[in-house]
Amino acid sequence: MHQCCIKDINTILLKVYILRKLIIIITCTFIFLVHFTPYRAFSQTERYTLGGRVYDEETGEAMPGAEVYIHELVKGTVTDAEGYFKFTDLKPARYHIHIKFIGYHSLYQYVNLTRDIHEVKFHLIPSSLELMEIVIESDPFKTGAVEQSLTTQTISDEFLKKNPGGTLMSSLQQLPGINAINTGVSISKPVIRGLSFNRVIVSDRGVKQEGQQWGADHGLEIDQFDPEQIEIVKGPASLQHGSDGMGGVIIINNPYLAQEGMLEGQITGIYKSNNHLIGTSTMLKGNSHGLVYQARFSSQDFGDYRVPADSFFYNGYILPIYNDRLKNTAGKERNLSGMIGLKKNWGYSTLTVSNYNQLAGLFPGAVGVPRLYNLQDDGDPRNIDLPRQKVNHFKIISNSNILFGRNWLEVNLGYQNNDRREEGEPHAHGFEPISDDNLALGLKLQTYSANIRYNQAINEKARRIFGIQYQYQVNRYDGFEFLLPAFSQNAIGGYLHEQRSLGEVFTINYGLRMDYAKMIIDEHYEPDYPENPQDSVLRNPSVNEDFFNLSGGFGLSWFPNHNLNLKFNMGSSYRIPTPNELAVNGIHHGTFRHERGDPTLEAERGWQFDMSFSYHLNRFLFNITPFLNLYNNYIYLKPTAEFSELPGGGQIFQYTQDNAIFIGGELSIDYHLIENFHLELVSEYVANYNLETELPLPFTPPFSALLNIEYRIPELNGVLKNSFLNFGTRFTAAQNRVDRNEQPTDGYTLLNVGLGTEFHIGKQQIDFLFNIQNLLDTRYMNHLSRYRWLNLPEQGRNVSVSLIYPFKITKTE
């Protein structure tokens, strides 16, 4: 019987191994064919010209300087003095044209090119609002924002410049419905509508970011200077993105490719006063006869950050904070990326290689039991001592978009190698003999992924997408501590998604998805220290599970006129338990607790409902997005009344599952009193309820509201342009709806101010931005910060200054 089981397991492992190797071979073959096959292999003999003119809808005047963009080819141009543009050498196909101009609604339109067209007329409608209709580039149907039923918000690089944070997520949490779980100022991860960890997907250039995102102290390994455009999908996104998209998706789009004959770049410098951060980023991109390339190098160095406090309270003791700084919270980052590819009339294909490297210290009072001698000032605020974490994330991503007449094929392939090393003093972490190495915990995760979808035009009113996704992961561990065992996982999914226009004011979309996953987790034994070191103790049993799922979704959008838009979505989502939820069992020092998994956990099933109502006039925009989510077998990390027997283990948190309900919404109001005076109010609320315990779920963000006032300063003698002054205040309510054994937090109000302008010296532009965050140096605790368990306040007043030097060169033959 035992030998038979072993034989069956070996057979399964052999099949998984063969499947993985087959996927790798197919992936490498495709990359080779796309990147090294001459583009003539994709070409056709017919070549056509597409030309047109852009007009102001109200005045009928031609509009010079409007940006015109063909999405499928990542190809753009600008209208001339007569409002005219022209693209030449185009294949016969159905093209998605996107036109934008400051102060006007963006416009999108499909054009079927079967012959030379020289005079297509486009009309743009004026608008005073910034948050106007835009094209959602991540939308596979490539329609407008009103046609897409999911709630999606697009973030430009201008927003990221105005809202500098210590991390990318620190900047994005200024948006309604978006929060961040943070560890200090250099480590954070996304929260969408109260859901986080493996319920929120971060997609970088079409590939799901994989980097131990289950850990609260495991940040997002992405260069915050790199994104040029981000799209945030709130609500059920599992249909196209997979099981981890229950809460939503943060999509980092491919950077814009340089146009033919252009060489352009940007040099950015930033300084922040609180932790004396100095950061730089240099980017260069170009296009020579369709050969596109881009390179970026970024660095950040920062010291211990300052808090408005001189002590903190833990377990009945008052402990000191010396010099108002959290010791050993200094760090540094070094990030490098490079891209090369082809941009031709058959589409484009690029290959991107990147490496993210971070060394970050951890406050010694948050690792193990706080001890007075660990907290004493070492005299060097930039020293990165133990405990600390080293993270290196290496990625290779291939993106291809190939036209086939009215249809196109998108292929995104990726390889990721995430190497995480958590270091600490060996004698402080367990009963076992003291190690000669400082490596407490090493986690090495490799991920291979393939996302392929074919976009088919059924007719002028309908489009269909066939998609397939595959992912293989293998994780290994090292170090003198144990937390997560070795595991491997295969997952494959396929989906069909359609969108149809019903008349001129309705679109509907619907889809079906099937998923299969195979998870194998190794058992782990270790000596029974200190009682019986000759015996072994089982820390976690082996797991060998298969998961199968069928899910679907339906959405509609109604837009009876240009001012009104109503959206509705409903869907069934699905998520398999992650390896840490099934098998983790040890001290997670980065989160100040002992975490314990449960190998009997079942897959989650969600039923999600979401609406959006938008109404806008020329100077006014109102948007409200309520949602309701029901979950069966919702998995969460529950604080217990137990404490770990391991030294420095702290409180035990147990992965468990219950049925749960989430309800909430976001509100946005945007109003221009006069042309240059802008008022914006956004608020968010999420509440949840455990249907079994009749208590709230832990780690739920409280209600918050943000009021932002901005004044656009008129141009000054052609030297200062696009100048602005803004003032913002964020109110966050107390969070008293907490789970058993979870601490509540008080409410607080923060004030922020900002100033920015463009200097023009001759033809050269230099951007200057100045911000003060937490202007009044308010002492407060973030409910989603792990440091709040030690009653440690968040970062105090922080002044930041940025200089950006963009340049562009037109190469001549």
Side-chain angles (χ1 to χ4, degrees):
M1 179 73 177
H2 180 67
Q3 292 180 347
C4 180
C5 292
I6 293 176
K7 183 178 179 180
D8 291 341
I9 292 174
N10 288 336
T11 301
I12 293 172
L13 290 174
L14 178 61
K15 291 180 179 179
V16 169
Y17 176 81
I18 294 173
L19 178 61
R20 179 168 66 93
K21 292 299 182 183
L22 181 61
I23 292 293
I24 294 173
I25 292 172
I26 293 173
T27 299
C28 294
T29 302
F30 183 86
I31 292 174
F32 176 83
L33 290 175
V34 169
H35 290 283
F36 297 102
T37 300
Y39 73 90
R40 294 180 184 84
F42 298 104
S43 63
Q44 298 177 354
T45 56
E46 299 89 350
R47 292 291 182 270
Y48 297 122
T49 295
L50 172 61
R53 205 174 299 273
V54 180
Y55 297 93
D56 184 304
E57 172 73 18
E58 294 184 356
T59 66
E61 296 179 356
M63 297 180 58
E67 298 179 33
V68 185
Y69 182 77
I70 299 179
H71 174 85
E72 292 82 359
L73 304 179
V74 197
K75 192 172 187 177
T77 188
V78 177
T79 56
D80 61 19
E82 303 298 325
Y84 187 75
F85 69 90
K86 183 171 69 172
F87 295 101
T88 60
D89 196 34
L90 299 181
K91 288 176 56 177
R94 187 172 188 255
Y95 293 108
H96 166 238
I97 308 299
H98 177 202
I99 303 175
K100 62 180 181 178
F101 193 85
I102 295 176
Y104 289 78
H105 291 276
S106 294
L107 175 71
Y108 65 92
Q109 185 171 317
Y110 278 106
V111 174
N112 288 314
L113 189 64
T114 57
R115 56 181 178 81
D116 287 332
I117 301 177
H118 295 283
E119 197 64 36
V120 181
K121 294 182 179 180
F122 301 92
H123 296 85
L124 298 185
I125 300 174
S127 173
S128 299
L129 296 175
E130 288 83 2
L131 298 176
M132 283 292 95
E133 180 187 336
I134 54 177
V135 174
I136 307 300
E137 297 298 342
S138 62
D139 174 19
F141 299 109
K142 299 299 175 283
T143 51
V146 295
E147 283 83 356
Q148 188 184 24
S149 62
L150 282 173
T151 302
T152 305
Q153 190 164 3
T154 298
I155 311 303
S156 66
D157 58 349
E158 180 182 359
F159 174 89
L160 298 176
K161 293 173 186 176
K162 285 185 178 180
N163 297 273
T167 64
L168 177 61
M169 284 313 307
S170 299
S171 298
L172 295 182
Q173 66 178 341
Q174 305 298 321
L175 303 168
I178 310 299
N179 298 99
I181 295 175
N182 63 65
T183 301
V185 297
S186 61
I187 302 170
S188 65
K189 59 194 318 92
V191 179
I192 298 179
R193 292 179 170 176
L195 298 175
S196 60
F197 300 101
N198 288 80
R199 294 184 183 88
V200 172
I201 290 176
V202 176
S203 175
D204 183 18
R205 294 172 170 86
V207 171
K208 178 185 172 186
Q209 177 83 2
E210 291 285 0
Q212 309 287 1
Q213 59 264 33
W214 52 269
D217 64 326
H218 303 168
L220 190 60
E221 302 95 346
I222 289 178
D223 180 2
Q224 66 171 321
F225 295 103
D226 189 51
E228 295 182 7
Q229 187 188 67
I230 298 175
E231 292 172 4
I232 300 176
V233 180
K234 303 174 189 175
S238 296
L239 182 61
Q240 292 184 31
H241 296 278
S243 71
D244 286 1
M246 293 180 104
V249 185
I250 296 176
I251 301 169
I252 302 174
N253 288 322
N254 293 339
Y256 296 112
L257 301 180
Q259 300 305 318
E260 176 62 45
M262 297 299 299
L263 179 66
E264 56 188 280
Q266 181 174 282
I267 301 173
T268 301
I270 186 170
Y271 170 78
K272 297 181 181 179
S273 66
N274 184 280
N275 58 353
H276 299 295
L277 179 145
I278 298 174
T280 62
S281 183
T282 302
M283 182 273 291
L284 180 70
K285 66 171 68 175
N287 183 339
S288 178
H289 304 290
L291 177 67
V292 292
Y293 52 89
Q294 178 171 324
R296 180 184 291 274
F297 175 74
S298 302
S299 69
Q300 291 193 95
D301 293 88
F302 50 92
D304 299 340
Y305 72 89
R306 190 185 63 79
V307 295
D310 56 12
S311 63
F312 68 100
F313 181 81
Y314 173 73
N315 200 24
Y317 295 93
I318 297 177
L319 298 171
I321 299 175
Y322 293 96
N323 302 319
D324 297 339
R325 293 191 179 275
L326 289 190
K327 178 185 175 182
N328 200 47
T329 54
K332 60 182 179 180
E333 283 186 18
R334 300 291 184 269
N335 307 314
L336 179 66
S337 64
M339 180 274 293
I340 190 169
L342 294 174
K343 189 172 80 166
K344 298 292 183 178
N345 54 24
W346 48 263
Y348 65 89
S349 183
T350 61
L351 187 67
T352 303
V353 180
S354 65
N355 193 81
Y356 172 97
N357 185 276
Q358 182 191 62
L359 174 63
L362 296 173
F363 179 54
V367 175
V369 177
R371 294 175 172 86
L372 184 61
Y373 69 87
N374 281 335
L375 304 177
Q376 293 177 356
D377 187 12
D378 60 7
D380 184 1
R382 304 190 86 85
N383 181 39
I384 308 172
D385 203 351
L386 300 176
R388 62 192 175 207
Q389 64 178 25
K390 299 178 179 178
V391 180
N392 194 86
H393 193 91
F394 175 77
K395 278 189 297 195
I396 303 175
I397 298 177
S398 170
N399 303 113
S400 299
N401 190 322
I402 303 171
L403 280 172
F404 293 96
R406 291 162 54 89
N407 311 319
W408 69 84
L409 175 70
E410 296 179 53
V411 180
N412 300 309
L413 308 172
Y415 167 77
Q416 301 175 68
N417 186 0
N418 184 272
D419 188 357
R420 168 175 291 276
R421 299 172 61 87
E422 299 182 4
E423 299 180 344
E425 294 288 352
H427 64 273
H429 291 285
F431 294 112
E432 66 271 18
I434 295 177
S435 170
D436 294 330
D437 193 348
N438 287 323
L439 179 60
L441 179 64
L443 296 172
K444 299 179 180 180
L445 177 67
Q446 294 188 76
T447 304
Y448 302 84
S449 56
N451 301 324
I452 302 171
R453 63 187 182 192
Y454 185 71
N455 192 311
Q456 178 189 17
I458 303 173
N459 52 48
E460 296 300 321
K461 297 290 186 179
R463 297 198 70 87
R464 176 184 295 133
I465 293 174
F466 301 94
I468 186 169
Q469 296 173 327
Y470 173 79
Q471 180 174 281
Y472 171 76
Q473 289 185 305
V474 58
N475 184 76
R476 296 294 179 259
Y477 67 92
D478 196 3
F480 56 79
E481 289 182 349
F482 172 77
L483 180 65
L484 181 67
F487 68 84
S488 63
Q489 178 177 316
N490 280 274
I492 188 168
Y495 61 91
L496 173 66
H497 195 189
E498 289 191 5
Q499 177 174 290
R500 293 180 178 271
S501 298
L502 304 180
E504 299 298 324
V505 298
F506 264 109
T507 63
I508 61 171
N509 67 82
Y510 45 87
L512 190 66
R513 181 183 178 98
M514 295 176 62
D515 286 277
Y516 168 77
K518 176 72 174 181
M519 186 179 299
I520 300 174
I521 303 176
D522 296 346
E523 64 183 6
H524 178 77
Y525 285 89
E526 63 182 27
D528 185 13
Y529 293 108
E531 302 295 335
N532 300 296
Q534 69 278 6
D535 297 333
S536 295
V537 176
L538 179 66
R539 291 291 292 272
N540 74 273
S542 63
V543 176
N544 192 329
E545 292 287 344
D546 296 274
F547 299 92
F548 176 78
N549 168 64
L550 184 66
S551 57
F554 171 82
L556 64 86
S557 180
W558 178 53
F559 38 99
N561 53 56
H562 197 73
N563 300 325
L564 181 64
N565 186 205
L566 179 66
K567 304 172 186 284
F568 173 76
N569 293 280
M570 60 181 294
S572 168
S573 55
Y574 163 87
R575 190 180 75 88
I576 66 173
T578 57
N580 64 294
E581 293 168 342
L582 295 170
V584 69
N585 187 10
I587 305 170
H588 196 173
H589 286 289
T591 55
F592 191 62
R593 61 193 178 215
H594 182 135
E595 296 180 2
R596 190 166 60 195
D598 182 354
T600 66
L601 295 176
E602 301 177 0
E604 293 180 351
R605 168 68 67 181
W607 304 94
Q608 298 176 268
F609 305 87
D610 152 308
M611 291 184 63
S612 174
F613 173 79
S614 297
Y615 179 76
H616 66 80
L617 299 172
N618 189 37
R619 297 183 182 273
F620 175 78
L621 171 66
F622 174 86
N623 176 255
I624 187 170
T625 55
F627 64 88
L628 171 65
N629 301 330
L630 305 172
Y631 297 104
N632 295 329
N633 299 321
Y634 181 85
I635 301 172
Y636 65 102
L637 193 59
K638 179 178 181 178
T640 71
E642 302 176 65
F643 282 82
S644 175
E645 295 180 355
L646 300 176
Q651 190 176 2
I652 293 179
F653 283 63
Q654 173 72 51
Y655 279 105
T656 186
Q657 60 185 170
D658 291 312
N659 296 332
I661 181 172
F662 281 67
I663 188 170
E666 300 91 40
L667 171 70
S668 299
I669 298 175
D670 198 326
Y671 182 55
H672 280 236
L673 295 174
I674 56 176
E675 183 176 357
N676 292 337
F677 193 72
H678 170 210
L679 286 173
E680 181 185 19
L681 173 67
V682 298
S683 63
E684 61 188 16
Y685 177 72
V686 57
N688 50 46
Y689 187 70
N690 187 322
L691 298 176
E692 309 300 325
T693 66
E694 299 183 351
L695 291 170
L697 291 164
F699 308 110
T700 302
F703 169 82
S704 68
L706 172 66
L707 175 64
N708 189 63
I709 302 172
E710 181 172 293
Y711 177 67
R712 291 276 180 175
I713 302 171
E715 183 175 325
L716 179 63
N717 298 327
V719 177
L720 300 180
K721 297 181 179 180
N722 295 323
S723 303
F724 67 89
L725 173 66
N726 62 33
F727 172 84
T729 178
R730 173 181 285 275
F731 166 76
T732 302
Q735 181 56 289
N736 295 312
R737 299 190 73 258
V738 294
D739 194 9
R740 187 178 292 114
N741 303 310
E742 184 187 16
Q743 302 172 8
T745 49
D746 295 331
Y748 55 89
T749 301
L750 301 178
L751 300 179
N752 307 308
V753 296
L755 172 70
T757 189
E758 293 179 5
F759 291 99
H760 286 262
I761 305 173
K763 294 184 178 180
Q764 181 57 53
Q765 171 185 327
I766 300 176
D767 299 337
F768 170 80
L769 296 110
F770 174 84
N771 286 273
I772 304 178
Q773 297 169 326
N774 193 0
L775 177 66
L776 301 182
D777 205 26
T778 302
R779 176 183 175 131
Y780 70 100
M781 282 187 285
N782 182 349
H783 191 74
L784 299 184
S785 170
R786 78 173 186 88
Y787 281 172
R788 77 178 175 92
W789 292 87
L790 294 173
N791 295 297
L792 282 170
E794 294 298 298
Q795 186 180 39
R797 183 186 299 112
N798 192 18
V799 179
S800 66
V801 179
S802 301
L803 285 175
I804 303 171
Y805 179 87
F807 59 89
K808 184 178 293 187
I809 302 171
T810 303
K811 293 183 289 185
T812 58
E813 296 295 337

